[in-house]
């Protein structure tokens, strides 16, 4: 397996170098032009974060960043793998559980349901970065920060006319797109819906053609992007989407202490800044969703608590079998259910 990984790393390096006309190496060098990549468009918080980080590197002669947004070096799963291999030394992406099932922890439902609690659990100084790095280090990755994106919502396509707010009774087996991840499939089945696992790239077409009636795990910016096929946005807040600011561990360890500290300080400053930015972007796009004519529905505390109770009783015990009681105990304390 190790030899196969090294061969893939070399093959990817040759391919990317040919495309970019850039000499890339796992070993850190002065004035190295390293890649920072993500898969999201320019109106996503990933882009703002990347620009803020790059601005902090201006004037430093040790690093030159080759910035690649919008997935032009591959989708989020591909970037995760390329960072494992060292081809893309730095990426902002999600945890790909194909490589370690424990990364499904990032999909866990109702850890938090509002921005204040999210900052406490996932923000700077929280324990979750260390928890995740115990997993990432086994994949030759290191997370230098946890990036907040947004809460997930349930959106209903045009013509359905349903507004499910009480769970599980209102679900009525409405065909609902979920990511092709077991924890996501089970959650919306338990909440009364009929889960239909569909890759992100096929979601819009599935809504447009009526393959599904609804979509779960939709952030505000994604809802706005698909507004022409939607009629209702229910702010379930069942899922807080966090991404990871990843570096290849070999590359990171190969930097001088001075350069590594410089990049970490720049990343820390950017992560602190990103929390306000992410929350503001979320509110801006929810307003845009309303202005586009979509009915935005906020759940009452009682409705959120009822949904959270289902998730805590059905989903969390299964996750505990996967990641162990110590991690889940920390999450229960953070979520206020222990």
């Amino acid at each position: 397996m190790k030899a196969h990984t090294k061969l893939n790393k070399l093959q990817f390096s040759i391919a990317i170098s040919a495309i970019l006309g850039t000499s890339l190496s796992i070993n850190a060098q002065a004035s190295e032009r390293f890649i920072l990549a993500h898969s999201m468009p320019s109106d996503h918080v990933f882009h703002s974060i990347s620009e803020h980080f790059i601005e902090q590197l201006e004037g430093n002669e040790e690093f030159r960043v080759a910035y690649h947004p919008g997935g032009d070096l591959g989708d989020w799963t591909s970037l995760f793998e390329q960072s494992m291999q060292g081809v893309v030394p730095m990426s902002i992406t999600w945890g790909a559980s194909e490589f370690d099932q424990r990364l499904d922890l990032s999909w866990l439902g109702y850890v938090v349901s509002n921005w204040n609690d999210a900052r406490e659990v996932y923000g700077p100084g929280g324990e979750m970065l260390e928890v995740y790095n115990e997993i990432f280090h086994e994949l030759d990755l290191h997370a230098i920060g946890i990036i907040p994106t947004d809460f997930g919502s349930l959106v209903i396509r045009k013509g359905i006319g349903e507004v499910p707010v009480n769970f599980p009774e209102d679900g009525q087996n409405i065909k609902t797109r979920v990511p092709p991840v077991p924890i996501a499939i089970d959650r919306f089945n338990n909440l009364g819906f009929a889960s239909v696992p569909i890759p992100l790239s096929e979601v819009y077409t599935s809504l447009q053609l009526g393959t599904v009636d609804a979509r779960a795990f939709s952030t505000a910016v994604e809802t706005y992007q698909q507004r022409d096929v939607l009629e209702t946005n229910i702010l379930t807040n069942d899922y807080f989407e966090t991404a990871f600011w990843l570096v290849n561990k070999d590359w990171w360890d190969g930097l001088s202490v001075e350069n590594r500290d410089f990049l970490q300080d720049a990343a820390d400053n950017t992560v602190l800044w990103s929390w306000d930015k992410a929350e503001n972007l979320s509110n801006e796009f929810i307003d845009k969703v309303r202005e586009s004519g979509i009915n935005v529905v906020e759940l009452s505390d009682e409705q959120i608590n009822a949904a959270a109770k289902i998730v805590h009783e059905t989903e969390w015990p299964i996750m505990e079998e996967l990641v162990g009681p110590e991690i889940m105990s920390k999450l229960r304390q953070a979520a206020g259910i222990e």
Side-chain angles (χ1 to χ4, degrees):
M1 180 66 179
K2 192 73 172 178
H4 178 68
T5 300
K6 288 182 178 178
L7 179 59
N8 282 344
K9 184 182 293 183
L10 176 61
Q11 291 170 335
F12 269 105
S13 295
I14 292 171
I16 297 293
S17 296
I19 293 171
L20 301 178
T22 304
S23 177
L24 299 174
S25 170
I26 282 290
N27 297 319
Q29 299 175 2
S31 300
E32 179 180 355
R33 185 172 182 249
F34 72 88
I35 295 173
L36 165 60
H38 64 78
S39 62
M40 302 306 289
S42 60
D43 55 3
H44 195 274
V45 70
F46 284 6
H47 178 63
S48 302
I49 288 169
S50 299
E51 287 191 324
H52 192 271
F53 173 71
I54 291 169
E55 286 174 4
Q56 293 185 73
L57 303 189
E58 291 178 359
N60 185 292
E61 298 299 325
E62 297 295 322
F63 299 107
R64 299 179 185 277
V65 181
Y67 177 44
H68 287 270
D72 61 355
L73 295 184
D75 65 14
W76 69 270
T77 307
S78 174
L79 289 176
F80 185 96
E81 183 174 17
Q82 290 181 65
S83 290
M84 285 173 56
Q85 295 167 331
V87 180
V88 176
M90 182 181 288
S91 62
I92 300 176
T93 190
W94 292 273
S97 58
E98 303 93 300
F99 302 100
D100 192 313
Q101 194 177 355
R102 290 175 296 173
L103 291 174
D104 276 346
L105 182 65
S106 64
W107 294 99
L108 190 65
Y110 284 114
V111 178
V112 294
S113 60
N114 61 72
W115 279 96
N116 288 335
D117 289 347
R119 286 179 190 246
E120 184 174 343
V121 175
Y122 296 105
E127 294 182 341
M128 289 308 297
L129 186 62
E130 182 179 345
V131 168
Y132 279 118
N133 268 328
E134 291 179 11
I135 302 171
F136 285 133
H137 288 176
E138 295 180 22
L139 301 174
D140 201 19
L141 291 168
H142 176 71
I144 59 176
I146 295 177
I147 301 296
T149 50
D150 201 357
F151 281 95
S153 290
L154 177 70
V155 295
I156 311 294
R157 72 175 174 88
K158 287 182 176 178
I160 299 302
E162 300 287 346
V163 186
V165 293
N166 300 298
F167 310 107
E169 55 268 32
D170 287 359
Q172 301 181 50
N173 289 317
I174 296 170
K175 292 185 296 182
T176 302
R177 179 270 170 180
V178 297
V181 179
I183 192 173
I185 297 168
D186 290 344
R187 179 182 309 160
F188 277 84
N189 284 337
N190 291 330
L191 289 174
F193 300 86
S195 295
V196 182
I198 296 175
L200 182 61
S201 61
E202 300 174 19
V203 171
Y204 178 81
T205 302
S206 298
L207 289 165
Q208 188 179 45
L209 297 178
T211 306
V212 292
D213 303 317
R215 174 196 172 180
F217 296 86
S218 184
T219 60
V221 63
E222 292 169 326
T223 299
Y224 182 71
Q225 289 168 345
Q226 299 178 349
R227 61 192 179 279
D228 61 315
V229 295
L230 301 175
E231 66 182 15
T232 302
N233 180 12
I234 302 164
L235 303 178
T236 53
N237 286 13
D238 59 287
Y239 158 70
F240 186 68
E241 184 176 276
T242 57
F244 300 103
W245 196 334
L246 297 177
V247 292
N248 175 267
K249 193 171 186 299
D250 286 345
W251 176 80
W252 185 251
D253 290 345
L255 296 171
S256 69
V257 173
E258 181 182 6
N259 284 341
R260 191 163 58 241
D261 287 348
F262 175 81
L263 289 180
Q264 185 66 66
D265 285 346
D268 289 345
N269 291 335
T270 302
V271 169
L272 282 168
W273 170 88
S274 74
W275 278 88
D276 285 337
K277 182 65 176 179
E279 185 174 1
N280 289 338
L281 276 176
S282 175
N283 292 332
E284 286 176 16
F285 275 98
I286 288 173
D287 288 342
K288 287 183 178 181
V289 167
R290 286 192 180 96
E291 292 166 3
S292 72
I294 292 174
N295 179 31
V296 176
V297 179
E298 296 186 34
L299 298 183
S300 68
D301 290 343
E302 291 77 14
Q303 289 166 334
I304 286 183
N305 290 338
K309 185 174 186 293
I310 294 171
V311 170
H312 292 158
E313 291 178 351
T314 59
E315 186 175 305
W316 285 47
I318 295 172
M319 182 57 65
E320 183 166 346
E321 294 177 5
L322 184 64
V323 302
E326 183 178 350
I327 290 175
M328 292 305 295
S329 178
K330 291 178 181 178
L331 286 173
R332 285 192 177 92
Q333 290 175 6
I337 62 173
E338 184 174 84

